[in-house]
Amino acid sequence: DIRKTIFSAKERLASLNKKTIVFIDEIHRFNKLQQDALLPDVENGNIILIGATTQNPYFYINPALISRSLVIQFEPLTNKELEKILLNAISDKERGFGNIKINITEEALNHIVNFADGDARVALNALEVGVLTSKSDKDGLVQFDIKVAEESIQKKKIAYDSSEDEH
C-alpha cells in the first residue's frame, strides 16, 4: 500500500506539482528495512512523511530517518484543557452528545479529568461509556454523577514498555 501511495505521490508531484503527506501510525512497528525503503522518497521530497509512535523514536526509528526529520514530542494535556474537551463533546451536536440532555456533576467531570492523566482519548472514552450506558430519566436527562464516572472507568492503565522509558 505504501509503495502504491509513493508511486501516486511521485506522479502527483510530477504532473500537478503537489506534494503528498504520508502518515504512518505506529511507525516503530516498521522494521529497519521497511524504514530504509522510505528514505529515498523522503530525501527526494516525493513524500512528506509524518510518523507517529508511542515509543522513544531515538531507539525505535532508523537514525537516518530521524536525521531527516523534525521530532515533536506531544505533552499531556492540562486538566483545564481536558475539561474543555469534555464540555465541548457534551455540547457538540454534530460530533458529540449535544443531542442528548446530560447533567454532569463537577465531581464526575473532575474524576474523569484526573483519571485521564492528560490523555483526551481516555477522557472521551470514559465520557462515552458513561453516557451511552446510562438511562435517561423521565425528562430525557442523563444524570452523569460520580457513580457513573467511576463505573465508566474500570482501572488506571499502567504503561509497560520494553525499554523502560514509560514505567
Side-chain angles (χ1 to χ4, degrees):
D1 288 344
I2 292 175
R3 285 186 184 131
K4 288 177 192 174
T5 300
I6 291 173
F7 180 78
S8 297
K10 287 178 185 178
E11 287 183 335
R12 185 178 301 109
L13 186 61
S15 63
L16 302 173
N17 200 29
K18 290 192 176 198
K19 293 188 177 191
T20 301
I21 296 173
V22 175
F23 176 79
I24 301 175
D25 194 16
E26 298 193 27
I27 194 168
H28 62 274
R29 294 183 185 266
F30 278 43
N31 65 36
K32 185 179 179 338
L33 287 174
Q34 291 168 321
Q35 290 180 30
D36 281 342
L38 297 168
L39 274 173
D41 292 296
V42 169
E43 287 178 332
N44 295 330
N46 295 326
I47 60 169
I48 297 168
L49 176 64
I50 299 176
T53 179
T54 56
Q55 304 298 321
N56 184 335
Y58 297 102
F59 291 121
Y60 288 90
I61 307 301
N62 180 327
L65 205 51
I66 286 285
S67 73
R68 290 152 179 84
S69 303
L70 171 64
V71 176
I72 299 171
Q73 180 175 333
F74 292 125
E75 298 296 330
L77 297 170
T78 66
N79 285 358
K80 192 172 195 167
E81 291 166 332
L82 284 174
E83 184 177 318
K84 183 176 180 184
I85 288 168
L86 289 171
L87 293 174
N88 284 342
I90 290 169
S91 64
D92 189 318
K93 290 186 179 202
E94 290 181 35
R95 297 179 297 155
F97 295 112
N99 295 315
I100 300 173
K101 294 184 215 169
I102 301 168
N103 179 34
I104 188 165
T105 66
E106 189 173 329
E107 187 180 20
L109 188 65
N110 289 336
H111 183 73
I112 291 173
V113 165
N114 289 326
F115 173 82
D117 198 27
D119 189 333
R121 290 177 301 179
V122 170
L124 290 168
N125 286 339
L127 177 67
E128 182 177 32
V129 166
V131 169
L132 297 180
T133 60
S134 296
K135 292 186 179 182
S136 53
D137 64 16
K138 61 181 169 69
D139 298 321
L141 185 65
V142 172
Q143 295 292 343
F144 199 115
D145 57 16
I146 187 64
K147 184 178 179 210
V148 173
E150 289 171 345
E151 288 176 2
S152 69
I153 301 167
Q154 292 303 308
K155 61 179 158 179
K156 186 131 175 109
K157 84 171 175 92
I158 299 175
Y160 291 97
D161 69 352
S162 59
S163 63
E164 299 178 5
D165 282 339
E166 295 294 320
H167 185 76

